[in-house]
Amino acid sequence: MKQINFPNREDWNSLCLRPVQEQQELSNIIKEVFATVAREGDAGLLQYTQRYDHPEAVKIIDMPLDDSVTAIPAELKDAIRIAKNNISKFHSTQIERPVKTDTMPGVTCWRESRPIDRIGIYIPGGSAPLFSTVLMLAIPAQLAGCRDVILCTPPDRNGSINPAILYAANITGVSKVFAVGGAQAIAAMAIGTATIPRVDKIFGPGNQYVTAAKTYAQQLGTAIDMPAGPSEVLIIADEYADAAFVAADILSQAEHGADSQAILLSDNAIIINKVLFELNTQLSQLPRKAIAEQALNNSKAILLNNLDECIEFSNQYAPEHLIITTENAEQLAGKVSNAGSVFLGRYSCESAGDYASGPNHTLPTNGYARSYSGVSVDSFVKKITFQRITAEGISNIGPAIETLATAEGLIAHKEAVTIRLNALKNIKK
Amino acid sequence: MKQINFPNREDWNSLCLRPVQEQQELSNIIKEVFATVAREGDAGLLQYTQRYDHPEAVKIIDMPLDDSVTAIPAELKDAIRIAKNNISKFHSTQIERPVKTDTMPGVTCWRESRPIDRIGIYIPGGSAPLFSTVLMLAIPAQLAGCRDVILCTPPDRNGSINPAILYAANITGVSKVFAVGGAQAIAAMAIGTATIPRVDKIFGPGNQYVTAAKTYAQQLGTAIDMPAGPSEVLIIADEYADAAFVAADILSQAEHGADSQAILLSDNAIIINKVLFELNTQLSQLPRKAIAEQALNNSKAILLNNLDECIEFSNQYAPEHLIITTENAEQLAGKVSNAGSVFLGRYSCESAGDYASGPNHTLPTNGYARSYSGVSVDSFVKKITFQRITAEGISNIGPAIETLATAEGLIAHKEAVTIRLNALKNIKK
């Protein structure tokens, strides 16, 4: 971890830069995958699946399954159930009830949420079965009332899918699981094939091919959750922080990937030194030590003049995860303007939010927290506005509309009002 | 308007297609504009402005102005004030208050909205001064509490901006207006120059260059309101509808542009014929008759078996504007799943919503209503999640997190909990 003391304000901008991404030119590869899937449908999909994931056929699993089929330890089932309950409880608070407002007498307006019909969730393969991401995406989709939630994830060499992923999908209303991964899975969900239905919005993390495919799908008209980048945490710690806890949180971020980043801010040199010491001790114990070490090379411990300056820096950085472990954490929280999710106090570790406390773990990275929110029930609905205008209402508001439309030179807009006002005058006569 | 009676279900898909857009290959032009603005800053900007809009310098107007400076008729001022009041009243209902939830004892979670700092609004030039769009974008930005709202709009040959646009900007908290238009204005707001600040999110309509520039800005990391397409209305009318009103609504859509589209659905052949007759009569009176005629060529009147089928078709089409003028409009409204904004009953004309009733007029077109919402206060905030976990909380939730993290192979995530649980055990001893 790089140590920086009292940097000049002019240098904040460069300190807020993320590790440079290898921007490989993937667009030709991605376009070819989409073209193949569009042209050849399932045959094209199978071709890619055989090339990259090796099984002979695309396995389709119709849900719901009998719970006994998803063979995972009882302890893990219980833990997943606890996470599910907490995530459901928190996300339920995001469901919006319509509020009718009369903006003028006879002009009633309101907004109603309607689920996005067809949702596609992508879950990456690899060493770790990310069932937690299944929970984080399928639970709000279910709460929103989405009709059809499908899930694509790459199979192992036998075409099988990790049972923990199936278990999580099973208890969260996923309707079908397809053993398909990579850019070809995204293409299939964006375009549709005979077996994989086209969806309205695609969610979920993935490697650079998956990310590029999602961006391309968005350009072609399929909505996506948000732009993606490597995971990151910013921690603000004062003298009351526990250095060992802070180090553990930095490492839990660092083990995600070599391109992860952790930023430690403090107004206290001693706590920074303690954290750096603890990092060394704890790092040696980790199975993913090599990855974490690389991530720590991208990471910085920055000493600033006071906690307000720490918050200011954090707002400029706009972290995906922000941990505030200070005496007055809640008070500082009021000053946070840019962050994905905020963890307050010494016991609020990021892994709680990653798995089980309730808030979503699909969050804006790479500074996108300046303008994007994390995934929530909002991400799975459209908010449709409604208005009902009565005869009294159009009489009240009509003359203003006539004036406005005329001033914009849109006479048919004006006439749509005039014809109604005239009809009402005739009724009165 | 093309008349279609009882189409087969298999043909619905093609009936729902939008007029094909001339997809000119603009990306090279747009990339060059961005590169020039990035390299040369204000000088590059001025170069484009002189080429396309002709004035000698980029005019910058610092707000607020004295109301007397914005010389528009008192009647128009009053009408703009009425619209502002209604739009403010309706959008105020979208401001979300935090709700704290204990997902488990000692695990408190909530969500708070924070304004996006810097907003850029683009208002197109041309014959009509779209001050209504200034209201629709600047009012929710102001309600959200955005720190800095700037506005770019192309100047006339003297470098001037229509006073109605300035008036609307002035009363809605816009901080600066720049007389700059086109793709170069979008590039400037996305990149920043010495005079035009970089913004976090860009809103507003525009021609194909502006639209392509917004898409490119999004790829580079600046958020945008939503993907754009030509405006459209779908009207569901039964025997109780007023054919003259329906025709007027179709024409107010048709006058927007030659690529606009109107779809009329009914279960009643007589009302369709009456509307078509009324269209002919009313069309001849319109100043923008030529444009409206072209749009009507893209438009269709479709006779279906019943009103439920009309709603089903509408949901498949996913219209930007949906007018339901039937006996049981509110009841049908409950079945709407895809639409930008819905107008219920014979007096709820689209122009009311375009200008003054309250809901936003920046809405998803081109079928995007299947997955996108219109602009609202939500569009100007990030919703940040917060959590505070106490010692009791981590004791309750910790073991589940340990199990989940271990099952995903993320041992540092587990350790961040274990180290805290161990510390608590030591305290107890």
Side-chain angles (χ1 to χ4, degrees):
Chain A
M1 230 176 166
K2 208 174 160 190
Q3 249 186 298
I4 300 141
N5 293 338
F6 307 116
N8 290 325
R9 286 265 167 173
E10 308 87 73
D11 298 330
W12 281 24
N13 232 347
S14 64
L15 288 172
C16 285
L17 289 178
R18 290 0 189 224
V20 178
Q21 294 288 100
E22 294 261 347
Q23 278 297 357
Q24 270 189 274
E25 199 31 83
L26 298 176
S27 66
N28 286 337
I29 300 171
I30 298 301
K31 275 182 190 170
E32 201 198 305
V33 172
F34 273 69
T36 305
V37 171
R39 199 175 54 237
E40 300 174 25
D42 284 326
L45 199 60
L46 183 59
Q47 185 185 313
Y48 285 109
T49 300
Q50 287 175 343
R51 193 187 305 167
Y52 296 113
D53 304 310
H54 311 295
E56 281 312 302
V58 170
K59 195 167 175 179
I60 303 164
I61 301 163
D62 282 308
M63 315 294 271
L65 300 166
D66 190 319
D67 249 23
S68 64
V69 181
T70 52
I72 56 170
E75 192 194 3
L76 182 54
K77 279 193 185 180
D78 290 345
I80 290 177
R81 290 258 171 208
I82 289 171
K84 183 190 175 226
N85 286 344
N86 291 347
I87 296 165
S88 299
K89 199 166 179 184
F90 179 64
H91 284 74
S92 297
T93 65
Q94 296 163 352
I95 297 171
E96 194 177 291
R97 319 257 162 241
V99 181
K100 292 198 178 183
T101 305
D102 282 5
T103 53
M104 288 181 119
V107 181
T108 308
C109 307
W110 67 99
R111 184 164 82 154
E112 293 184 29
S113 294
R114 297 293 156 85
I116 299 175
D117 266 357
R118 300 163 304 180
I119 298 295
I121 295 177
Y122 185 80
I123 300 293
S127 51
L130 295 184
F131 54 80
S132 61
T133 303
V134 178
L135 300 178
M136 292 294 180
L137 298 175
I139 290 171
Q142 194 174 29
L143 287 170
C146 300
R147 198 186 60 194
D148 212 16
V149 180
I150 66 163
L151 189 153
C152 288
T153 189
D156 65 18
R157 285 184 164 254
N158 308 314
S160 298
I161 291 167
N162 188 292
I165 287 181
L166 288 180
Y167 180 78
N170 205 34
I171 62 169
T172 53
V174 170
S175 55
K176 270 197 171 73
V177 173
F178 299 94
V180 162
Q184 58 273 20
I186 305 300
M189 292 194 283
I191 298 164
T193 71
T195 55
I196 301 190
R198 186 165 73 85
V199 303
D200 300 312
K201 193 168 182 177
I202 298 173
F203 292 78
N207 63 19
Q208 56 183 340
Y209 293 94
V210 169
T211 301
K214 280 174 65 187
T215 306
Y216 189 58
Q218 185 184 36
Q219 284 171 45
L220 296 182
T222 307
I224 64 170
D225 45 4
M226 70 185 78
S231 191
E232 61 203 21
V233 69
L234 188 147
I235 303 178
I236 299 176
D238 69 2
E239 59 180 315
Y240 298 94
D242 182 307
F245 295 0
V246 173
D249 291 340
I250 289 172
L251 290 173
S252 75
Q253 186 57 53
E255 76 169 342
H256 268 298
D259 54 4
S260 290
Q261 197 182 38
I263 305 284
L264 171 63
L265 304 181
S266 185
D267 61 346
N268 183 296
I270 298 165
I271 192 83
I272 288 181
N273 286 328
K274 279 187 187 167
V275 171
L276 294 175
F277 176 81
E278 277 288 336
L279 273 177
N280 269 328
T281 318
Q282 293 181 28
L283 181 63
S284 59
Q285 318 288 327
L286 287 185
R288 293 167 73 99
K289 184 184 166 193
I291 291 171
E293 263 177 339
Q294 281 181 273
L296 288 178
N297 288 338
N298 300 325
S299 297
K300 304 178 187 90
I302 305 174
L303 181 64
L304 294 170
N305 289 302
N306 52 58
L307 290 175
D308 274 342
E309 218 174 75
C310 293
I311 286 284
E312 249 185 282
F313 186 99
S314 174
N315 285 335
Q316 187 167 333
Y317 183 85
E320 180 192 13
H321 305 98
L322 168 59
I323 300 175
I324 306 180
T325 173
T326 61
E327 199 191 12
N328 59 347
E330 295 238 14
Q331 196 192 316
L332 284 181
K335 298 176 182 172
V336 173
S337 60
N338 297 323
S341 193
V342 185
F343 300 76
L344 301 174
R346 63 170 58 205
Y347 296 112
S348 305
C349 52
E350 189 199 310
S351 33
D354 285 344
Y355 285 107
S357 52
N360 212 284
H361 79 195
T362 305
L363 297 167
T365 54
N366 203 28
Y368 286 114
R370 276 187 283 270
S371 44
Y372 290 86
S373 309
V375 162
S376 71
V377 170
D378 292 347
S379 314
F380 296 88
V381 301
K382 297 95 50 175
K383 298 185 179 177
I384 304 177
T385 49
F386 291 81
Q387 59 192 282
R388 169 152 213 133
I389 302 177
T390 62
E392 184 200 5
I394 198 70
S395 303
N396 285 331
I397 202 176
I401 300 168
E402 291 179 311
T403 302
L404 296 165
T406 305
E408 283 195 358
L410 295 174
I411 300 308
H413 281 66
K414 177 203 160 263
E415 288 299 330
V417 173
T418 308
I419 200 169
R420 288 169 163 94
L421 294 180
N422 286 343
L424 286 170
K425 276 181 210 152
N426 290 335
I427 292 174
K428 276 187 195 158
K429 285 175 194 163
Chain B
M1 228 176 169
K2 208 174 158 190
Q3 250 186 296
I4 300 142
N5 293 340
F6 307 116
N8 290 324
R9 285 263 166 174
E10 307 88 74
D11 298 331
W12 281 24
N13 232 347
S14 65
L15 288 172
C16 284
L17 290 178
R18 291 356 191 226
V20 178
Q21 295 291 0
E22 294 260 350
Q23 277 298 357
Q24 270 189 272
E25 199 30 85
L26 299 175
S27 67
N28 286 336
I29 300 171
I30 298 302
K31 277 182 189 170
E32 202 199 303
V33 171
F34 273 70
T36 305
V37 171
R39 198 176 53 239
E40 300 174 26
D42 284 327
L45 199 60
L46 183 59
Q47 184 186 313
Y48 285 108
T49 300
Q50 287 174 342
R51 191 186 308 166
Y52 297 112
D53 304 309
H54 312 293
E56 282 310 303
V58 171
K59 194 167 175 178
I60 304 165
I61 301 162
D62 283 308
M63 315 292 272
L65 299 165
D66 191 316
D67 248 22
S68 65
V69 180
T70 51
I72 55 170
E75 191 194 5
L76 182 55
K77 280 193 185 181
D78 289 344
I80 290 177
R81 290 258 171 209
I82 290 171
K84 183 191 175 225
N85 286 344
N86 290 348
I87 297 165
S88 299
K89 199 166 176 184
F90 179 64
H91 284 75
S92 297
T93 66
Q94 297 163 353
I95 297 171
E96 194 178 291
R97 319 256 162 242
V99 181
K100 290 199 179 183
T101 306
D102 283 4
T103 54
M104 289 180 118
V107 181
T108 308
C109 307
W110 68 99
R111 184 164 81 154
E112 293 185 28
S113 293
R114 296 295 155 82
I116 298 175
D117 266 356
R118 301 164 302 181
I119 299 295
I121 295 176
Y122 185 79
I123 300 293
S127 51
L130 295 185
F131 54 81
S132 61
T133 304
V134 179
L135 300 178
M136 292 293 179
L137 298 175
I139 290 171
Q142 194 175 29
L143 287 171
C146 300
R147 198 186 59 195
D148 212 16
V149 180
I150 66 163
L151 189 153
C152 288
T153 190
D156 65 17
R157 286 185 164 254
N158 308 315
S160 298
I161 292 167
N162 187 294
I165 287 181
L166 289 179
Y167 180 77
N170 204 36
I171 62 169
T172 54
V174 170
S175 55
K176 270 197 169 73
V177 173
F178 300 94
V180 161
Q184 59 274 19
I186 305 299
M189 291 194 282
I191 298 164
T193 72
T195 54
I196 300 190
R198 185 164 74 85
V199 303
D200 299 311
K201 193 168 182 178
I202 299 173
F203 291 78
N207 63 17
Q208 55 182 341
Y209 293 93
V210 168
T211 300
K214 280 174 65 186
T215 305
Y216 189 59
Q218 186 184 34
Q219 285 171 45
L220 296 182
T222 307
I224 64 170
D225 45 4
M226 71 185 80
S231 191
E232 63 205 18
V233 70
L234 187 146
I235 303 177
I236 299 175
D238 69 1
E239 59 179 316
Y240 298 95
D242 183 307
F245 295 1
V246 173
D249 291 340
I250 289 173
L251 289 173
S252 75
Q253 186 59 53
E255 77 170 339
H256 268 298
D259 54 3
S260 291
Q261 196 183 36
I263 305 284
L264 171 62
L265 305 181
S266 184
D267 60 347
N268 184 295
I270 298 165
I271 192 84
I272 288 181
N273 285 327
K274 278 189 188 166
V275 170
L276 294 176
F277 176 83
E278 275 289 336
L279 273 177
N280 269 327
T281 318
Q282 293 181 27
L283 181 64
S284 59
Q285 318 288 328
L286 287 184
R288 292 167 75 99
K289 186 186 164 191
I291 291 172
E293 263 178 339
Q294 282 180 271
L296 288 179
N297 288 338
N298 300 325
S299 298
K300 303 177 187 91
I302 305 175
L303 181 64
L304 294 169
N305 290 300
N306 51 59
L307 290 176
D308 274 343
E309 219 174 75
C310 293
I311 286 285
E312 250 186 279
F313 186 100
S314 173
N315 284 335
Q316 188 168 334
Y317 184 86
E320 180 191 14
H321 305 97
L322 168 59
I323 300 176
I324 306 180
T325 173
T326 61
E327 199 190 12
N328 59 347
E330 294 238 11
Q331 196 192 316
L332 285 180
K335 298 176 181 172
V336 172
S337 60
N338 297 323
S341 193
V342 185
F343 300 76
L344 300 173
R346 62 171 57 206
Y347 296 112
S348 305
C349 53
E350 189 198 308
S351 33
D354 286 344
Y355 285 108
S357 52
N360 212 284
H361 79 194
T362 304
L363 297 167
T365 53
N366 203 29
Y368 285 115
R370 275 187 284 271
S371 45
Y372 289 86
S373 309
V375 162
S376 71
V377 171
D378 292 346
S379 314
F380 296 89
V381 301
K382 296 97 49 177
K383 297 184 180 179
I384 303 177
T385 50
F386 291 81
Q387 59 193 283
R388 168 151 214 136
I389 302 176
T390 62
E392 184 201 5
I394 198 70
S395 304
N396 285 331
I397 201 175
I401 300 167
E402 290 179 311
T403 303
L404 295 165
T406 305
E408 282 196 357
L410 295 174
I411 300 308
H413 281 64
K414 177 204 159 261
E415 287 299 328
V417 172
T418 308
I419 200 170
R420 287 169 165 94
L421 294 181
N422 286 342
L424 287 170
K425 278 180 209 151
N426 290 335
I427 292 173
K428 276 188 194 158
K429 284 175 197 164

